[in-house]
């Protein structure tokens, strides 16, 4: 797992996805294997619209000088009813070594963008928590690998969305901090 964390922090998303999928595929079958080979790239257009609206609202309505954006997925392992993306704007660029800055945002999205395509994983997480699957070492390992893959696929989505909008949208030139709530230690910075 340590190797996966290092790959995530280094932005080596594709390599980390391959390694996590291979490891998950070797474990006994569970609902968590459903994530293997399943990306979130179908959300690229909705995320583009969401970021466009957010950036315009922050710059024009809130009159902020947006220097960084935190693209955050909710605490998906425990909030299995709805997985979503939330945006926070910062007027200064923060550092990775001290995550206290996350609470010092200048603006936030009023709405959120629902993550679709992983509903069966949401159900697998719900069953895992309700049946106390974490008491079984192999189930716990499968759940952890699935968590890494969800975060990696989320980061992949944001990276592709930003790349597709370079030179087209002003937010595509702003540093993006990409992570999931309760997984800030796996945050990837896209500059």
């Amino acid at each position: 797992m340590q190797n996966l964390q290092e790959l995530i922090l280094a932005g080596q998303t594709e390599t980390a996805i391959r390694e996590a999928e291979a490891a998950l595929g070797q474990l006994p079958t569970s609902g968590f294997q459903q994530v293997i080979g399943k990306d979130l790239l179908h959300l690229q257009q909705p995320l583009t619209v969401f970021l466009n609206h957010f950036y315009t609202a922050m710059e024009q309505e809130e009159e902020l000088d947006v220097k960084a954006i935190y693209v955050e997925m909710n605490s998906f392992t425990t909030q299995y009813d709805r997985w979503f993306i939330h945006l926070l704007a910062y007027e200064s660029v923060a550092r990775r070594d001290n995550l206290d800055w996350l609470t010092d945002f200048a603006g936030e999205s009023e709405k959120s963008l629902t993550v679709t395509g992983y509903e069966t994983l949401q159900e697998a997480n719900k069953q895992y928590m309700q049946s106390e699957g974490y008491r079984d070492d192999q189930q716990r390992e499968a759940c952890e690998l699935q968590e890494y893959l969800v975060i990696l696929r989320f980061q992949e989505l944001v990276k592709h969305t930003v790349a597709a909008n370079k030179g087209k949208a002003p937010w595509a030139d702003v540093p993006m901090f990409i992570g999931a709530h309760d997984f800030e230690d796996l945050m990837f910075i896209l500059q």
Side-chain angles (χ1 to χ4, degrees):
M1 300 285 186
Q2 181 65 33
N3 185 45
L4 285 176
Q5 291 176 343
E6 291 169 5
L7 290 170
I8 290 170
L9 296 175
Q12 296 180 4
T13 308
E14 295 78 15
T15 302
I17 288 170
R18 280 193 306 275
E19 288 190 18
E21 285 184 343
L24 183 56
Q26 293 176 6
L27 293 173
T29 302
S30 70
F32 297 123
Q33 274 89 1
Q34 298 172 74
V35 73
I36 296 174
K38 191 163 189 171
D39 63 45
L40 292 171
L41 297 179
H42 65 279
L43 293 172
Q44 194 171 333
Q45 183 57 33
L47 181 56
T48 298
V49 171
F50 189 42
L51 282 161
N52 282 336
H53 176 75
F54 174 72
Y55 188 84
T56 300
M58 294 298 106
E59 289 272 324
Q60 294 177 5
E61 296 168 23
E62 299 295 325
E63 298 180 353
L64 300 178
D65 183 17
V66 179
K67 299 287 186 196
I69 297 174
Y70 181 27
V71 186
E72 179 188 45
M73 192 168 162
N74 66 317
S75 184
F76 64 93
T77 56
T78 57
Q79 296 177 349
Y80 24 75
D81 292 332
R82 179 173 175 253
W83 290 0
F84 61 88
I85 300 168
H86 184 73
L87 303 173
L88 299 170
Y90 297 85
E91 291 192 291
S92 62
V93 179
R95 298 185 341 233
R96 172 184 288 285
D97 59 342
N98 180 358
L99 296 179
D100 291 342
W101 62 270
L102 287 173
T103 60
D104 195 24
F105 54 89
E108 68 180 307
S109 54
E110 290 182 15
K111 297 181 180 180
S112 57
L113 176 65
T114 300
V115 173
T116 59
Y118 280 175
E119 290 79 6
T120 55
L121 280 177
Q122 290 170 239
E123 187 59 35
N125 275 277
K126 180 178 182 178
Q127 290 176 2
Y128 172 78
M129 292 302 287
Q130 290 178 346
S131 68
E132 297 182 0
Y134 45 83
R135 295 185 186 278
D136 177 271
D137 289 343
Q138 289 186 320
Q139 280 192 43
R140 186 174 54 253
E141 185 178 358
C143 181
E144 289 173 6
L145 285 165
Q146 172 252 185
E147 291 168 353
Y148 283 118
L149 282 164
V150 169
I151 291 167
L152 285 160
R153 291 301 190 171
F154 176 56
Q155 291 174 348
E156 176 185 52
L157 165 65
V158 177
K159 287 168 78 171
H160 280 261
T161 303
V162 169
N165 285 281
K166 282 284 186 190
K168 299 176 190 173
W171 52 262
D173 294 321
V174 172
M176 297 269 178
F177 293 80
I178 310 163
H181 194 77
D182 295 331
F183 291 93
E184 288 81 6
D185 58 326
L186 299 177
M187 185 182 304
F188 173 67
I189 303 169
L190 182 63
Q191 297 183 342

